Amino acid sequence: PKRTPKPSSTHRPEHAVLTGLLRELRLAAGLTQTQAAEALGLTQTSLSDLETGDRGLEMLVVRDLVRIYGADWLAFVAELERRLEAGTSPASALLRRR
């Protein structure tokens, strides 16, 4: 029987919004990747992979990062939802039509 592939969020556009928000939050908290990774028990490379979308994110890891950054979980989720609902335009939408 043919197996259905496991759904992955890492290839969805929403994943880039999530990772971007986490990176932005880390920078706002004044933490380096190394500092944040150590607080989470990861290597700097692992945290970099999370922020660039090269590695999937589990919800509890996201929650831990939000806490490490000193942010409110519910406010983080609300901001994520706001950004997801706003949507994004492709770069081609910025080109002038002649």
Side-chain angles (χ1 to χ4, degrees):
K2 187 176 180 182
R3 298 183 77 189
T4 304
K6 181 179 173 183
S8 171
S9 66
T10 57
H11 301 291
R12 295 174 53 176
E14 296 95 329
H15 189 259
V17 175
L18 172 60
T19 57
L21 181 56
L22 284 170
R23 181 179 185 277
E24 187 179 327
L25 189 58
R26 176 183 57 76
L27 293 172
L31 295 174
T32 65
Q33 283 185 340
T34 301
Q35 291 168 324
E38 286 176 358
L40 192 59
L42 297 175
T43 64
Q44 178 275 324
T45 303
S46 294
L47 185 63
S48 176
D49 288 346
L50 292 175
E51 286 187 354
T52 59
D54 291 337
R55 184 172 167 187
L57 281 162
E58 295 180 17
M59 183 183 71
L60 295 176
V61 172
V62 173
R63 189 181 73 168
D64 290 344
L65 286 170
V66 169
R67 286 183 178 166
I68 287 166
Y69 301 155
D72 177 76
W73 171 248
L74 294 179
F76 174 83
V77 172
E79 177 61 15
L80 176 63
E81 283 298 319
R82 186 191 69 73
R83 291 180 182 202
L84 291 174
E85 288 175 11
T88 58
S89 298
S92 61
L94 303 173
L95 299 176
R96 294 183 201 172
R97 304 290 179 208
R98 295 179 189 206

Coordinates of all heavy atoms in Angstrom, one line a residue:
P1 N 0.8 -1.2 0.0 CA 0.0 0.0 0.0 C 0.9 1.3 0.0 O 1.9 1.3 0.6 CB -0.8 -0.1 1.3 CG -0.1 -1.1 2.1 CD 0.7 -2.0 1.2
K2 N 0.4 2.3 -0.7 CA 1.1 3.5 -0.8 C 1.0 4.3 0.5 O -0.1 4.4 1.1 CB 0.5 4.4 -1.9 CG 1.3 5.6 -2.2 CD 0.7 6.3 -3.4 CE 1.5 7.6 -3.7 NZ 1.0 8.3 -4.8
R3 N 2.1 4.8 1.0 CA 2.1 5.6 2.3 C 1.9 7.0 2.0 O 2.5 7.6 1.1 CB 3.4 5.3 3.0 CG 3.6 3.9 3.4 CD 4.8 3.7 4.2 NE 4.5 4.2 5.6 CZ 5.5 4.3 6.5 NH1 6.7 4.0 6.2 NH2 5.2 4.7 7.7
T4 N 1.1 7.7 2.8 CA 1.0 9.1 2.7 C 2.1 9.8 3.4 O 2.4 9.4 4.6 CB -0.4 9.6 3.3 OG1 -1.4 8.8 2.7 CG2 -0.6 11.0 3.1
P5 N 2.8 10.8 2.8 CA 3.9 11.4 3.5 C 3.4 12.2 4.7 O 2.3 12.7 4.8 CB 4.5 12.4 2.5 CG 3.4 12.5 1.4 CD 2.6 11.3 1.5
K6 N 4.3 12.2 5.7 CA 4.0 12.9 7.0 C 3.9 14.4 6.7 O 4.8 14.9 6.0 CB 5.1 12.6 8.0 CG 4.9 13.2 9.3 CD 6.0 12.8 10.2 CE 5.9 13.5 11.5 NZ 7.1 13.2 12.4
P7 N 2.8 15.0 7.1 CA 2.8 16.5 6.9 C 3.9 17.2 7.6 O 4.2 16.9 8.7 CB 1.4 16.9 7.4 CG 1.0 15.8 8.3 CD 1.7 14.5 7.9
S8 N 4.5 18.2 7.0 CA 5.6 18.9 7.5 C 5.3 20.4 7.5 O 4.9 20.9 6.4 CB 6.9 18.6 6.8 OG 7.9 19.5 7.2
S9 N 5.4 21.1 8.6 CA 5.2 22.5 8.6 C 6.4 23.3 8.0 O 6.3 24.5 7.7 CB 4.8 23.0 10.0 OG 5.9 22.9 10.8
T10 N 7.6 22.7 8.0 CA 8.8 23.4 7.6 C 8.7 23.9 6.1 O 9.4 24.8 5.8 CB 10.0 22.6 7.8 OG1 9.9 21.4 7.0 CG2 10.3 22.3 9.2
H11 N 7.8 23.4 5.3 CA 7.7 23.8 3.9 C 6.5 24.7 3.7 O 6.3 25.0 2.5 CB 7.7 22.6 3.0 CG 8.9 21.7 3.2 ND1 10.1 22.1 2.7 CD2 9.0 20.4 3.7 CE1 11.0 21.1 3.0 NE2 10.3 20.1 3.6
R12 N 5.9 25.1 4.7 CA 4.7 26.0 4.6 C 5.2 27.5 4.8 O 6.1 27.7 5.6 CB 3.7 25.7 5.6 CG 3.1 24.3 5.3 CD 2.1 23.9 6.4 NE 1.1 24.9 6.6 CZ 0.1 24.7 7.5 NH1 0.0 23.6 8.2 NH2 -0.8 25.6 7.7
P13 N 4.6 28.4 4.1 CA 4.9 29.8 4.2 C 4.8 30.3 5.7 O 5.6 31.1 6.1 CB 4.0 30.6 3.3 CG 3.3 29.6 2.5 CD 3.5 28.2 3.1
E14 N 3.9 29.7 6.4 CA 3.6 30.1 7.8 C 4.9 29.9 8.7 O 5.1 30.6 9.7 CB 2.4 29.4 8.4 CG 1.1 29.8 7.7 CD 0.7 28.7 6.7 OE1 1.6 28.2 6.0 OE2 -0.5 28.6 6.5
H15 N 5.6 28.8 8.3 CA 6.8 28.5 9.1 C 7.8 29.6 9.1 O 8.5 29.9 10.1 CB 7.4 27.2 8.5 CG 8.5 26.6 9.4 ND1 9.8 26.8 9.1 CD2 8.5 26.0 10.6 CE1 10.6 26.2 10.0 NE2 9.8 25.7 10.9
A16 N 8.0 30.3 7.9 CA 8.9 31.4 7.8 C 8.5 32.6 8.7 O 9.3 33.3 9.2 CB 9.0 31.8 6.3
V17 N 7.1 32.8 8.8 CA 6.6 33.8 9.6 C 7.0 33.5 11.1 O 7.4 34.4 11.8 CB 5.1 34.0 9.4 CG1 4.5 35.0 10.4 CG2 4.8 34.4 8.0
L18 N 6.8 32.3 11.5 CA 7.1 31.9 12.9 C 8.6 32.0 13.2 O 8.9 32.6 14.2 CB 6.6 30.4 13.1 CG 7.1 29.8 14.4 CD1 6.5 30.5 15.6 CD2 6.6 28.3 14.4
T19 N 9.4 31.5 12.3 CA 10.8 31.6 12.6 C 11.3 33.0 12.6 O 12.2 33.4 13.4 CB 11.7 30.7 11.6 OG1 11.4 31.2 10.3 CG2 11.3 29.3 11.7
G20 N 10.8 33.8 11.7 CA 11.1 35.2 11.6 C 10.7 36.0 12.9 O 11.5 36.8 13.4
L21 N 9.6 35.7 13.4 CA 9.1 36.3 14.7 C 10.0 35.9 15.8 O 10.3 36.7 16.7 CB 7.6 36.0 14.9 CG 7.0 36.5 16.2 CD1 7.1 38.1 16.2 CD2 5.5 36.1 16.3
L22 N 10.3 34.6 15.9 CA 11.2 34.1 17.0 C 12.6 34.8 16.9 O 13.1 35.2 18.0 CB 11.4 32.6 16.9 CG 10.2 31.8 17.4 CD1 10.4 30.3 17.1 CD2 10.0 32.0 18.9
R23 N 13.1 35.0 15.7 CA 14.4 35.6 15.6 C 14.3 37.1 16.0 O 15.1 37.6 16.8 CB 14.9 35.6 14.2 CG 16.3 36.2 14.0 CD 16.8 36.1 12.5 NE 18.1 36.6 12.4 CZ 18.4 37.9 12.2 NH1 17.4 38.8 12.2 NH2 19.6 38.4 12.1
E24 N 13.3 37.8 15.6 CA 13.0 39.2 15.9 C 12.9 39.3 17.4 O 13.4 40.3 18.0 CB 11.7 39.6 15.2 CG 11.4 41.1 15.4 CD 10.2 41.4 14.6 OE1 9.9 40.8 13.6 OE2 9.5 42.3 15.1
L25 N 12.2 38.4 18.1 CA 12.0 38.4 19.5 C 13.3 38.2 20.3 O 13.6 38.9 21.2 CB 11.0 37.4 20.0 CG 10.5 37.4 21.4 CD1 9.9 38.7 21.7 CD2 9.5 36.3 21.6
R26 N 14.2 37.3 19.8 CA 15.5 37.1 20.4 C 16.3 38.3 20.3 O 16.9 38.7 21.3 CB 16.2 35.9 19.7 CG 17.6 35.7 20.2 CD 18.4 34.6 19.5 NE 18.5 34.8 18.1 CZ 19.4 35.6 17.5 NH1 20.2 36.4 18.2 NH2 19.4 35.7 16.2
L27 N 16.3 39.0 19.2 CA 17.1 40.2 19.0 C 16.6 41.3 19.9 O 17.3 42.0 20.5 CB 17.1 40.6 17.5 CG 17.8 39.7 16.6 CD1 17.6 40.1 15.1 CD2 19.3 39.6 16.9
A28 N 15.2 41.4 20.0 CA 14.6 42.4 20.9 C 15.0 42.2 22.3 O 15.1 43.1 23.1 CB 13.1 42.4 20.7
A29 N 15.2 40.9 22.7 CA 15.6 40.6 24.1 C 17.1 40.8 24.3 O 17.6 40.7 25.4 CB 15.2 39.1 24.3
G30 N 17.8 41.1 23.2 CA 19.2 41.4 23.4 C 20.1 40.2 23.6 O 21.2 40.2 24.1
L31 N 19.6 39.0 23.1 CA 20.3 37.8 23.2 C 21.0 37.3 21.9 O 20.4 37.5 20.8 CB 19.4 36.7 23.7 CG 18.8 36.8 25.1 CD1 17.8 35.7 25.3 CD2 19.9 36.8 26.2
T32 N 22.2 36.8 22.0 CA 22.8 36.2 20.9 C 22.2 34.8 20.7 O 21.6 34.2 21.6 CB 24.3 36.0 21.1 OG1 24.6 35.1 22.1 CG2 25.0 37.4 21.3
Q33 N 22.5 34.2 19.5 CA 22.1 32.8 19.3 C 22.7 31.9 20.3 O 22.1 30.9 20.8 CB 22.4 32.3 17.9 CG 21.5 32.9 16.8 CD 21.8 32.3 15.5 OE1 22.9 31.8 15.2 NE2 20.8 32.4 14.6
T34 N 24.0 32.1 20.6 CA 24.7 31.3 21.6 C 24.0 31.4 23.0 O 23.8 30.3 23.6 CB 26.2 31.7 21.6 OG1 26.7 31.6 20.3 CG2 26.9 30.9 22.6
Q35 N 23.7 32.6 23.4 CA 23.1 32.7 24.7 C 21.7 32.0 24.8 O 21.4 31.3 25.7 CB 22.9 34.2 25.1 CG 24.2 34.9 25.3 CD 24.0 36.4 25.3 OE1 23.2 37.0 24.6 NE2 24.8 37.1 26.2
A36 N 20.9 32.2 23.8 CA 19.6 31.6 23.7 C 19.7 30.1 23.6 O 19.0 29.3 24.3 CB 18.8 32.1 22.6
A37 N 20.6 29.6 22.8 CA 20.8 28.2 22.6 C 21.3 27.5 24.0 O 20.7 26.4 24.3 CB 21.8 27.9 21.5
E38 N 22.2 28.1 24.7 CA 22.6 27.6 25.9 C 21.5 27.5 26.9 O 21.4 26.6 27.7 CB 23.8 28.4 26.5 CG 25.1 28.2 25.7 CD 26.2 29.1 26.2 OE1 26.0 29.9 27.1 OE2 27.3 29.0 25.6
A39 N 20.7 28.5 27.0 CA 19.5 28.6 27.9 C 18.5 27.4 27.6 O 17.9 26.9 28.5 CB 18.8 29.9 27.9
L40 N 18.5 27.0 26.3 CA 17.6 26.0 25.9 C 18.2 24.6 25.9 O 17.5 23.6 25.9 CB 17.0 26.3 24.5 CG 15.9 25.5 24.0 CD1 14.7 25.6 24.9 CD2 15.5 25.9 22.6
G41 N 19.6 24.6 26.1 CA 20.3 23.3 26.0 C 20.6 22.8 24.7 O 20.7 21.6 24.4
L42 N 20.7 23.7 23.7 CA 21.1 23.4 22.3 C 22.4 24.0 22.0 O 23.0 24.9 22.7 CB 20.0 24.0 21.4 CG 18.6 23.5 21.5 CD1 17.7 24.3 20.5 CD2 18.6 22.0 21.1
T43 N 22.9 23.7 20.8 CA 24.1 24.3 20.3 C 23.6 25.6 19.5 O 22.5 25.7 19.1 CB 24.9 23.4 19.3 OG1 24.1 23.1 18.2 CG2 25.3 22.1 20.0
Q44 N 24.6 26.5 19.3 CA 24.3 27.7 18.5 C 23.8 27.3 17.1 O 22.9 27.9 16.5 CB 25.5 28.6 18.4 CG 25.3 29.9 17.6 CD 25.6 29.7 16.1 OE1 26.5 28.9 15.8 NE2 24.8 30.3 15.3
T45 N 24.5 26.3 16.5 CA 24.1 25.8 15.2 C 22.7 25.3 15.1 O 21.9 25.5 14.2 CB 25.1 24.7 14.7 OG1 26.4 25.2 14.8 CG2 24.8 24.2 13.3
S46 N 22.3 24.6 16.2 CA 20.9 24.1 16.2 C 19.9 25.2 16.3 O 18.8 25.2 15.6 CB 20.7 23.2 17.5 OG 21.5 22.0 17.3
L47 N 20.2 26.2 17.1 CA 19.3 27.4 17.1 C 19.2 28.1 15.8 O 18.2 28.5 15.3 CB 19.6 28.3 18.3 CG 18.6 29.5 18.4 CD1 17.3 29.0 18.8 CD2 19.1 30.5 19.5
S48 N 20.4 28.2 15.2 CA 20.4 28.8 13.8 C 19.6 28.1 12.9 O 18.8 28.7 12.1 CB 21.9 28.9 13.3 OG 21.9 29.4 12.0
D49 N 19.6 26.8 12.9 CA 18.8 25.9 12.0 C 17.3 26.1 12.3 O 16.5 26.1 11.3 CB 19.2 24.4 12.2 CG 20.5 24.1 11.6 OD1 21.1 24.9 10.8 OD2 21.0 23.0 11.9
L50 N 17.0 26.4 13.5 CA 15.6 26.6 13.9 C 15.1 28.0 13.3 O 14.1 28.1 12.7 CB 15.3 26.7 15.4 CG 15.5 25.3 16.1 CD1 15.4 25.6 17.6 CD2 14.4 24.3 15.6
E51 N 16.0 29.0 13.4 CA 15.7 30.3 13.0 C 15.6 30.5 11.4 O 14.9 31.3 10.9 CB 16.6 31.4 13.5 CG 16.4 31.6 15.0 CD 17.3 32.8 15.6 OE1 18.1 33.3 14.8 OE2 17.0 33.2 16.7
T52 N 16.4 29.7 10.8 CA 16.5 29.7 9.3 C 15.4 28.8 8.6 O 15.3 28.8 7.4 CB 17.9 29.4 8.7 OG1 18.2 28.1 9.2 CG2 18.9 30.4 9.2
G53 N 14.8 28.0 9.5 CA 13.8 27.1 8.9 C 14.3 25.8 8.4 O 13.6 25.0 7.8
D54 N 15.6 25.5 8.7 CA 16.2 24.3 8.2 C 15.9 23.1 9.1 O 16.2 22.0 8.8 CB 17.8 24.4 8.2 CG 18.2 25.4 7.1 OD1 17.4 25.6 6.1 OD2 19.3 25.9 7.2
R55 N 15.2 23.4 10.2 CA 14.9 22.4 11.2 C 13.5 22.8 11.7 O 13.1 23.9 11.9 CB 15.9 22.5 12.4 CG 15.7 21.5 13.4 CD 16.9 21.5 14.4 NE 16.5 20.7 15.6 CZ 17.3 20.6 16.6 NH1 18.4 21.4 16.7 NH2 17.0 19.9 17.6
G56 N 12.7 21.7 11.9 CA 11.3 21.9 12.4 C 11.3 22.4 13.8 O 12.2 22.2 14.6
L57 N 10.1 23.0 14.2 CA 9.9 23.5 15.5 C 8.8 22.8 16.2 O 7.7 22.7 15.6 CB 9.6 25.0 15.5 CG 10.8 25.9 15.3 CD1 10.3 27.3 14.8 CD2 11.5 26.1 16.6
E58 N 9.0 22.4 17.4 CA 7.9 21.8 18.2 C 7.3 22.9 19.0 O 8.0 23.8 19.4 CB 8.4 20.7 19.1 CG 8.9 19.5 18.3 CD 9.5 18.4 19.3 OE1 9.1 18.4 20.4 OE2 10.2 17.6 18.8
M59 N 6.0 22.8 19.3 CA 5.3 23.8 20.0 C 5.9 24.1 21.4 O 6.1 25.3 21.8 CB 3.8 23.5 20.2 CG 3.0 24.6 20.9 SD 1.3 24.2 21.2 CE 1.5 23.0 22.5
L60 N 6.3 23.1 22.1 CA 6.9 23.3 23.4 C 8.2 23.9 23.4 O 8.6 24.7 24.3 CB 6.9 22.0 24.2 CG 5.6 21.3 24.5 CD1 5.7 20.0 25.2 CD2 4.7 22.3 25.3
V61 N 9.0 23.7 22.3 CA 10.3 24.4 22.1 C 10.0 25.9 21.8 O 10.7 26.7 22.4 CB 11.1 23.7 21.0 CG1 12.4 24.5 20.7 CG2 11.5 22.3 21.4
V62 N 9.0 26.2 21.0 CA 8.7 27.5 20.8 C 8.3 28.2 22.1 O 8.7 29.3 22.4 CB 7.5 27.7 19.7 CG1 7.1 29.1 19.6 CG2 8.0 27.1 18.4
R63 N 7.5 27.6 22.9 CA 7.1 28.1 24.2 C 8.3 28.4 25.1 O 8.4 29.4 25.7 CB 6.1 27.2 24.9 CG 5.5 27.9 26.1 CD 4.5 27.0 26.8 NE 5.3 25.9 27.5 CZ 4.8 25.1 28.3 NH1 3.5 25.1 28.7 NH2 5.6 24.2 28.9
D64 N 9.2 27.4 25.1 CA 10.4 27.6 25.9 C 11.2 28.8 25.4 O 11.7 29.6 26.2 CB 11.3 26.4 25.8 CG 10.7 25.2 26.6 OD1 9.8 25.4 27.4 OD2 11.2 24.1 26.3
L65 N 11.4 29.0 24.1 CA 12.1 30.1 23.6 C 11.4 31.4 23.9 O 12.1 32.4 24.3 CB 12.2 30.0 22.0 CG 13.2 29.0 21.5 CD1 13.1 28.8 20.0 CD2 14.7 29.4 21.9
V66 N 10.1 31.5 23.8 CA 9.4 32.7 24.1 C 9.6 33.1 25.6 O 9.9 34.2 25.9 CB 7.9 32.5 23.9 CG1 7.1 33.7 24.4 CG2 7.6 32.4 22.3
R67 N 9.7 32.1 26.5 CA 9.9 32.3 27.9 C 11.4 32.8 28.1 O 11.6 33.7 28.9 CB 9.6 31.1 28.7 CG 8.2 30.8 28.9 CD 7.9 29.6 29.8 NE 6.5 29.5 30.0 CZ 5.9 28.4 30.4 NH1 6.7 27.4 30.8 NH2 4.6 28.3 30.6
I68 N 12.3 32.1 27.4 CA 13.7 32.5 27.6 C 13.9 34.0 27.1 O 14.7 34.7 27.7 CB 14.6 31.6 26.7 CG1 14.7 30.2 27.4 CG2 16.0 32.2 26.5 CD1 15.3 29.1 26.5
Y69 N 13.2 34.4 26.1 CA 13.3 35.8 25.6 C 12.5 36.8 26.5 O 12.6 38.0 26.2 CB 12.7 35.8 24.2 CG 13.5 35.0 23.2 CD1 12.9 34.5 22.0 CD2 14.8 34.5 23.5 CE1 13.6 33.7 21.2 CE2 15.5 33.7 22.6 CZ 14.9 33.3 21.4 OH 15.6 32.5 20.6
G70 N 11.8 36.3 27.5 CA 11.1 37.2 28.4 C 9.8 37.7 27.9 O 9.3 38.8 28.4
A71 N 9.2 37.0 27.0 CA 7.9 37.5 26.4 C 6.8 36.7 27.0 O 6.9 35.6 27.5 CB 8.0 37.4 24.9
D72 N 5.6 37.2 26.8 CA 4.3 36.6 27.2 C 3.9 35.6 26.1 O 3.8 36.0 24.9 CB 3.3 37.7 27.5 CG 1.9 37.1 27.9 OD1 1.8 36.6 29.0 OD2 1.1 37.0 27.0
W73 N 3.6 34.4 26.5 CA 3.2 33.4 25.5 C 2.0 33.7 24.7 O 1.9 33.7 23.5 CB 3.0 32.0 26.2 CG 2.4 31.0 25.3 CD1 1.2 30.4 25.4 CD2 3.1 30.3 24.2 NE1 1.0 29.5 24.4 CE2 2.2 29.4 23.7 CE3 4.3 30.5 23.6 CZ2 2.4 28.6 22.6 CZ3 4.6 29.7 22.5 CH2 3.7 28.8 22.0
L74 N 0.9 34.2 25.4 CA -0.3 34.5 24.8 C -0.2 35.7 23.8 O -0.8 35.8 22.7 CB -1.5 34.7 25.8 CG -1.8 33.5 26.6 CD1 -2.9 33.8 27.6 CD2 -2.3 32.3 25.7
A75 N 0.6 36.7 24.2 CA 0.9 37.8 23.4 C 1.7 37.4 22.1 O 1.4 37.9 21.0 CB 1.6 38.9 24.1
F76 N 2.6 36.5 22.3 CA 3.4 35.9 21.2 C 2.4 35.3 20.2 O 2.5 35.5 19.0 CB 4.4 35.0 21.7 CG 5.2 34.3 20.6 CD1 6.2 34.9 19.9 CD2 4.8 33.0 20.2 CE1 6.9 34.3 18.9 CE2 5.5 32.4 19.1 CZ 6.5 33.0 18.5
V77 N 1.6 34.4 20.7 CA 0.6 33.7 19.8 C -0.3 34.7 19.1 O -0.5 34.5 17.9 CB -0.2 32.6 20.6 CG1 -1.3 32.0 19.8 CG2 0.8 31.5 21.1
A78 N -0.8 35.7 19.8 CA -1.6 36.7 19.2 C -0.9 37.4 18.1 O -1.5 37.7 17.0 CB -2.2 37.7 20.2
E79 N 0.4 37.8 18.3 CA 1.1 38.5 17.3 C 1.4 37.6 16.1 O 1.3 38.0 14.9 CB 2.5 39.0 17.9 CG 3.4 39.7 16.9 CD 2.8 40.9 16.2 OE1 1.8 41.5 16.6 OE2 3.4 41.3 15.1
L80 N 1.7 36.3 16.4 CA 1.9 35.3 15.3 C 0.6 35.2 14.4 O 0.7 35.3 13.2 CB 2.3 34.0 15.8 CG 2.4 32.8 14.8 CD1 3.6 33.2 13.8 CD2 2.7 31.5 15.5
E81 N -0.5 35.1 15.1 CA -1.8 35.0 14.3 C -2.0 36.3 13.5 O -2.5 36.2 12.4 CB -2.9 34.8 15.3 CG -3.0 33.4 15.8 CD -3.3 32.4 14.6 OE1 -4.1 32.7 13.7 OE2 -2.7 31.3 14.7
R82 N -1.7 37.5 14.1 CA -1.9 38.7 13.4 C -1.1 38.7 12.1 O -1.5 39.1 11.0 CB -1.5 39.9 14.3 CG -1.9 41.3 13.7 CD -1.3 42.4 14.4 NE 0.2 42.5 14.4 CZ 0.9 42.9 13.3 NH1 0.3 43.2 12.2 NH2 2.2 42.9 13.3
R83 N 0.2 38.3 12.3 CA 1.1 38.3 11.1 C 0.6 37.3 10.1 O 0.7 37.5 8.9 CB 2.5 38.0 11.5 CG 3.1 39.2 12.3 CD 4.5 39.0 12.7 NE 5.0 40.1 13.5 CZ 6.3 40.4 13.7 NH1 7.2 39.6 13.1 NH2 6.7 41.4 14.4
L84 N 0.1 36.1 10.5 CA -0.3 35.1 9.6 C -1.6 35.6 8.8 O -1.7 35.3 7.6 CB -0.6 33.8 10.3 CG 0.6 33.1 10.8 CD1 0.2 31.9 11.7 CD2 1.6 32.7 9.7
E85 N -2.5 36.2 9.5 CA -3.7 36.7 8.9 C -3.4 37.9 7.9 O -4.1 38.0 6.9 CB -4.7 37.2 9.9 CG -5.3 36.0 10.7 CD -6.2 36.4 11.8 OE1 -6.6 37.6 11.9 OE2 -6.6 35.5 12.6
A86 N -2.4 38.6 8.2 CA -2.0 39.8 7.3 C -1.5 39.3 6.0 O -1.7 39.9 4.9 CB -1.0 40.6 8.0
G87 N -1.0 38.1 6.0 CA -0.4 37.5 4.7 C 0.8 38.3 4.2 O 1.2 39.3 4.8
T88 N 1.4 37.8 3.2 CA 2.5 38.4 2.6 C 2.3 38.4 1.1 O 1.6 37.6 0.5 CB 3.8 37.6 2.9 OG1 3.7 36.3 2.4 CG2 4.1 37.6 4.4
S89 N 3.0 39.4 0.5 CA 3.0 39.5 -1.0 C 4.3 39.0 -1.5 O 5.3 39.3 -0.9 CB 2.8 41.0 -1.4 OG 1.5 41.4 -0.9
P90 N 4.2 38.4 -2.7 CA 5.5 38.0 -3.3 C 6.3 39.2 -3.7 O 5.7 40.3 -4.0 CB 5.1 37.1 -4.4 CG 3.7 37.5 -4.7 CD 3.1 38.0 -3.4
A91 N 7.6 39.1 -3.9 CA 8.4 40.2 -4.3 C 8.0 40.7 -5.7 O 8.1 41.9 -5.9 CB 9.9 39.8 -4.3
S92 N 7.4 39.8 -6.5 CA 7.0 40.3 -7.8 C 5.9 41.3 -7.7 O 5.7 42.1 -8.7 CB 6.5 39.0 -8.6 OG 5.4 38.4 -8.0
A93 N 5.1 41.3 -6.6 CA 4.1 42.3 -6.5 C 4.6 43.7 -6.3 O 3.9 44.7 -6.5 CB 3.2 42.0 -5.3
L94 N 5.9 43.9 -6.0 CA 6.6 45.2 -5.9 C 7.1 45.8 -7.2 O 7.4 46.9 -7.2 CB 7.7 45.0 -4.9 CG 7.4 44.5 -3.5 CD1 8.7 44.3 -2.7 CD2 6.5 45.4 -2.8
L95 N 7.1 45.0 -8.2 CA 7.6 45.4 -9.5 C 6.6 46.4 -10.2 O 5.4 46.2 -10.1 CB 7.9 44.2 -10.4 CG 9.0 43.2 -9.9 CD1 9.1 42.1 -10.9 CD2 10.3 43.9 -9.7
R96 N 7.2 47.4 -10.8 CA 6.4 48.4 -11.5 C 6.0 47.7 -12.9 O 6.8 47.2 -13.6 CB 7.1 49.6 -11.8 CG 7.4 50.4 -10.5 CD 8.1 51.7 -10.9 NE 8.8 52.1 -9.7 CZ 9.6 53.2 -9.7 NH1 9.9 53.8 -10.8 NH2 10.2 53.5 -8.6
R97 N 4.7 47.8 -13.2 CA 4.2 47.3 -14.5 C 4.4 48.4 -15.5 O 4.1 49.6 -15.3 CB 2.8 46.9 -14.3 CG 2.5 45.9 -13.3 CD 3.0 44.6 -13.6 NE 2.8 43.7 -12.5 CZ 3.5 42.7 -12.2 NH1 4.6 42.4 -12.9 NH2 3.2 41.8 -11.2
R98 N 4.9 48.0 -16.6 CA 5.1 49.0 -17.7 C 4.1 48.9 -18.8 O 3.5 48.0 -19.1 CB 6.5 48.8 -18.3 CG 7.6 49.1 -17.3 CD 8.9 48.9 -18.0 NE 9.9 49.0 -16.9 CZ 11.1 49.3 -17.1 NH1 11.6 49.6 -18.3 NH2 12.0 49.4 -16.1

